[in-house]
Amino acid sequence: NSPPGTDLSQHIENRRQRANALQKHLDAGKYCCRYIYPKSCIEEFVNSGKPEPYYFEANREEKIEQLQRMADLLKYPTYEMALIDEEGMKEISPTFCEVQGNHIFFGEVWSERNQERISTWYFTQERVIVRAFQEHLSKFWNKISDDCKNRFYVSEWIKQQIHKLG
């Protein structure tokens, strides 16, 4: 995600660069990656192209490209994805966070104050904090039903979303 005010073309290019970097790490077997997505967020992306909390509106081709990239990553044995429902969202909502290896934590927390969306960004390389988030996210991952993490289920669900786009 990009912060509000970021140029749309730059945002899309940043996402492509991140996806390419992730794919290189997966090709090298360097990282195990786990992503947790609310189904409602992806459905909103497909239906309107401008889901909350994203800061841009994607056209049909960009939506298909993004969803296809997600499906392609599932081919890697070190990449895992879970699709959660609204009940699962309550534990992590509304946040985005990423832990890279044992050395970087990046997070964003959304909140509302006076009916205005507030976005707060966090970044640290402090290993104790990074490790704490690794443990927290692993515990959360382990609570997710195996059905929601099943590669075939996730891949087929994403393909259904692509099919909706034509």
Side-chain angles (χ1 to χ4, degrees):
N1 294 335
S2 296
T6 298
D7 175 51
L8 172 59
S9 61
Q10 185 60 49
H11 172 83
I12 292 169
E13 184 56 32
N14 289 345
R15 290 190 64 84
R16 286 185 181 129
Q17 288 175 5
R18 283 177 51 97
N20 290 338
L22 175 61
Q23 197 156 356
K24 286 178 187 175
H25 291 307
L26 292 171
D27 284 335
K30 197 171 183 180
Y31 292 122
C32 290
C33 299
R34 289 180 172 162
Y35 280 81
I36 302 168
Y37 289 100
K39 290 167 81 173
S40 60
C41 184
I42 296 172
E43 289 169 336
E44 182 68 22
F45 178 68
V46 168
N47 294 331
S48 74
K50 191 175 182 178
E52 291 291 335
Y54 295 112
Y55 307 115
F56 70 96
E57 187 166 350
N59 64 35
R60 182 182 163 277
E61 290 77 23
E62 290 164 344
K63 291 181 211 180
I64 291 171
E65 178 185 358
Q66 177 67 23
L67 293 168
Q68 189 60 55
R69 185 180 303 123
M70 291 168 70
D72 290 346
L73 288 170
L74 285 165
K75 297 173 186 171
Y76 291 92
T78 55
Y79 184 89
E80 296 177 276
M81 186 186 306
L83 296 172
I84 59 174
D85 57 19
E86 292 305 312
E87 190 62 32
M89 274 291 293
K90 291 177 183 174
E91 283 196 56
I92 61 170
S93 179
T95 62
F96 166 82
C97 62
E98 183 174 313
V99 178
Q100 297 177 1
N102 291 323
H103 57 284
I104 297 175
F105 168 78
F106 169 78
E108 180 178 13
V109 178
W110 300 288
S111 60
E112 288 193 21
R113 194 175 309 139
N114 299 328
Q115 298 181 332
E116 180 182 344
R117 182 174 292 277
I118 307 295
S119 179
T120 307
W121 297 72
Y122 299 94
F123 171 82
T124 185
Q125 291 182 306
E126 176 57 50
R127 289 180 187 254
V128 173
I129 295 171
V130 172
R131 184 70 185 147
F133 274 99
Q134 279 180 319
E135 290 173 10
H136 170 72
L137 294 172
S138 288
K139 286 178 186 174
F140 183 75
W141 179 266
N142 292 335
K143 289 181 186 179
I144 297 172
S145 156
D146 288 342
D147 292 340
C148 295
K149 298 183 279 191
N150 178 284
R151 284 180 187 277
F152 180 76
Y153 164 74
V154 173
S155 178
E156 288 301 308
W157 191 87
I158 291 172
K159 288 176 187 174
Q160 289 173 7
Q161 302 309 305
I162 293 170
H163 181 73
K164 286 180 184 177
L165 291 167

